Each structure stands twice: as structure tokens, then as C-alpha cells.
Amino acid sequence: MKIVDAHAHLWLRQDTEVNGMKIRTLDNGKSLFMGEIRQMLPPFVIDGRNTAEIFLSNMDYAQVSAAVITQEYIDGLQNDYLREVQQKYPDRFLCCGMVDARKPGYSEEAVVLTERGFRGIKLPAERLLLPEGRVYLTGNEMMRMFKYMEANDLFFSVDLAPGETQVAEMEEIISECPRLRIAIGHFGMVTRPGWQKQIKLARHPHVRIESGGITWLFNDEFYPFTGAVRAIREAASLAGMEKLMWGSDYPRTITAITYRMSFDFILKSTLLTDEEKRQFLGENAKQFYRFGNLVDLPRIKNMSE
């Protein structure tokens, strides 16, 4: 089985603001996060640099062949670093560019990112419900960007606000840009009321759902995340298992669990067939993101075994 992670993050340093609240990298994996100190990375990452090389070490150990690197405003725009990562490790990483849709002119940013080699654009759309006014996904500039992306065969990675807050906007985007490939993150914000509305968007031919953050959303339940597996089964009944992809939300989720644990609960579950596990953990993402030949990775035996 070749495994593909459809939702992970990389950054060299967090130094940004969201809604006027600062996010800053501190030491020992900690960050100042919107007024409090949070463990953003495992504590052994003492310099706060969430690099491709550290992630590759985790991927090799866990036998994950490739990963899609998405972005979030809470980490700041990482386009320059991710362009370097994409060029250095083209067989292991597919990196999303990110535009700042909180201020005008972002559609031109998307064009520049495409010219720099990015094949997908990320929007953390839940961050667009701004105190000073909501940025609608169906605004004129936004739709101009989506039509450009569709015409240039870019994929659109998006995290939506919980429930159906932005579902109607997504339906309009899909109607206007039916060939635009769309990956909806955080498994539709499963555990929040109305999450199934987001899942049902994947009934459209070019829309997929990825599970980045699902272990965070089921953190109170914790390993082996049986509720998360049941949610995957429910989502498959709503949209089809072929529309669902595994994502880890690395590295934030591995402050609580290991990277391998973020998918090991799927492998060990008796609620999914071997074929469903193969689809969910890699095959669906390989096809959607158009990965080529995925690397084979040997299993390294632990000293504790």
C-alpha cells in the first residue's frame, strides 16, 4: 500500500497576525498564539523550524510516500519556502501556494504563484469571516481567480467554516467552475453540527474531502479514534469512499500522537475493508493530485520490538 498525506504544513518561522492577534515562534516547539502560549510543535523541535527535512524523516519512518503541503494564515504566507521545497523534493511534496484574500489584489497573486510553479492554491476560508466584514467566496475577484484556476488546471485546497456557513458559496463556485478540482479540508469540520453538508459537496465530480485534522477533532476520544472511523464510514455513505482522502494536519497533531498514529488507527480498524483503506490512505489522493510513481519505503524495526 502506498500512502499519501493530503494535508500537512511546513514553515520556517511563524511571524504573523490574524484578526489583530499575534502568532510568533518561541523556543522548544512553543508559539505565542492569539494571546496564549501553545505547544505548536513537538518540544524536541527546539528552534521552531518545521522543515521539510524533519517531515521527510517522519514520512520515511511511517512509510508515507508523498504529502500535499497546504497553508494556513496562522502560520503566515510560506510561499517562498514552499517553492524551494517543491523544487528540492518534487517526488515527495506537492506544495500549495497561498494568497491573502483578506485584502484586494489576491487574484493577481494567484497568477504570480502559478508562474512560479505552484499547481494548487490554498484558502483557509474559515479565516475570511473577519470582524470588519466577511469576504465572500463568490465575490467578483474571488470568482475571477477561480475561473483562472480552472482554465489553468490548478487545484483549489480549502478549509471551510464549521457547518454550512460557506456551503452555498461553494455550490455556486462548483456551478460556475465545474472542472475546477477542489479538496475540502478538516473532513468538513466533522464533530461540528452540520458537517455532513460539506461532505455532500463531494457528490460533484471534481470535489474531494480530505481528513486533515480529524485526530484533532476527535482528540477528546483519542486513539484508536473509533468515532473518526465511524465518521469516515458515514461520509463514504454520503459521497462514496472514492471521494475521501487521508490527511494528517502534521505537525500540530503530533504534539498529541505520533505521525504514524495519525493513520495507524485506520489500518487497524475492522470497520473498513482492505480496499477501502487502500483508497482512503493513498490511491484517491494519488489520482486527484496526479502524483506519478510513488516511492517504496522499507519498514524499519523499532528497538523496542
Side-chain angles (χ1 to χ4, degrees):
M1 182 186 298
K2 301 287 183 68
I3 299 176
V4 177
D5 188 341
H7 187 127
H9 299 272
L10 297 174
W11 62 78
L12 291 182
R13 184 172 181 82
Q14 294 174 311
D15 186 6
T16 189
E17 290 187 9
V18 172
N19 296 338
M21 293 179 282
K22 296 182 184 299
I23 298 103
R24 297 283 187 276
T25 292
L26 303 177
D27 60 358
N28 300 334
K30 298 186 294 292
S31 289
L32 173 64
F33 183 75
M34 298 184 173
E36 62 179 333
I37 294 176
R38 300 287 290 272
Q39 195 70 44
M40 189 70 64
L41 298 167
F44 53 77
V45 186
I46 59 175
D47 62 359
R49 289 166 58 90
N50 172 34
T51 65
E53 287 73 24
I54 293 175
F55 190 23
L56 277 172
S57 181
N58 275 281
M59 290 168 63
D60 289 352
Y61 171 75
Q63 297 175 277
V64 174
S65 295
V68 179
I69 306 302
T70 182
Q71 296 199 55
E72 232 277 21
Y73 290 152
I74 63 172
D75 302 324
L77 271 70
Q78 300 291 328
N79 294 321
D80 290 342
Y81 178 55
L82 294 187
R83 183 170 181 261
E84 293 177 12
V85 170
Q86 183 72 80
Q87 292 175 331
K88 190 173 182 180
Y89 305 106
D91 296 330
R92 303 299 299 278
F93 294 125
L94 175 59
C95 298
C96 296
M98 184 168 68
V99 300
D100 192 347
R102 297 167 295 182
K103 54 188 180 182
Y106 55 85
S107 60
E108 286 76 16
E109 291 180 45
V111 175
V112 172
L113 290 173
T114 305
E115 292 171 346
R116 295 180 70 190
F118 288 100
R119 292 156 47 196
I121 301 294
K122 170 65 185 286
L123 272 185
E126 80 279 18
R127 306 286 181 195
L128 300 180
L129 308 180
L130 303 172
E132 63 270 23
R134 177 172 169 177
V135 178
Y136 284 90
L137 298 175
T138 51
N140 290 337
E141 182 170 11
M142 198 73 78
M143 293 304 295
R144 185 163 66 250
M145 180 178 73
F146 292 139
K147 289 180 179 178
Y148 169 82
M149 291 170 63
E150 181 187 37
N152 287 273
D153 198 23
L154 306 180
F155 67 87
F156 175 41
S157 174
V158 61
D159 300 330
L160 300 175
E164 54 185 309
T165 304
Q166 295 170 309
V167 168
E169 294 166 64
M170 290 300 299
E171 289 280 10
E172 185 173 336
I173 294 166
I174 294 164
S175 176
E176 289 289 319
C177 306
R179 292 179 291 104
L180 177 63
R181 288 180 290 144
I182 300 172
I184 297 171
H186 295 161
F187 217 68
M189 288 301 290
V190 63
T191 72
R192 306 296 194 260
W195 67 277
Q196 296 93 339
K197 297 286 188 181
Q198 294 190 33
I199 301 300
K200 289 179 181 178
L201 290 169
R203 291 175 173 176
H204 294 282
H206 298 292
V207 181
R208 301 292 185 272
I209 305 294
E210 45 95 338
S211 75
I214 198 168
T215 58
W216 150 60
L217 290 161
F218 282 92
N219 184 65
D220 290 344
E221 175 187 292
F222 208 65
Y223 192 89
F225 304 109
T226 305
V229 181
R230 292 196 181 103
I232 292 167
R233 284 244 56 93
E234 182 176 352
S237 73
L238 294 172
M241 185 61 75
E242 72 278 4
K243 295 300 191 72
L244 310 179
M245 307 182 293
W246 170 69
S248 69
D249 211 5
Y250 173 99
R252 283 179 266 270
T253 48
I254 67 164
T255 58
I257 59 175
T258 67
Y259 183 52
R260 183 172 179 86
M261 287 170 70
S262 65
F263 68 86
D264 187 61
F265 74 97
I266 299 291
L267 287 175
K268 292 179 177 176
S269 175
T270 59
L271 300 178
L272 299 170
T273 67
D274 288 345
E275 176 60 20
E276 288 171 331
K277 293 173 186 178
R278 186 187 67 82
Q279 287 181 291
F280 183 71
L281 290 174
E283 189 59 34
N284 294 341
K286 178 184 178 183
Q287 293 178 6
F288 179 78
Y289 293 108
R290 301 173 184 169
F291 282 102
N293 294 323
L294 297 173
V295 298
D296 284 307
L297 295 165
R299 182 181 181 276
I300 306 299
K301 192 173 182 179
N302 289 328
M303 282 295 295
S304 57
E305 294 179 72

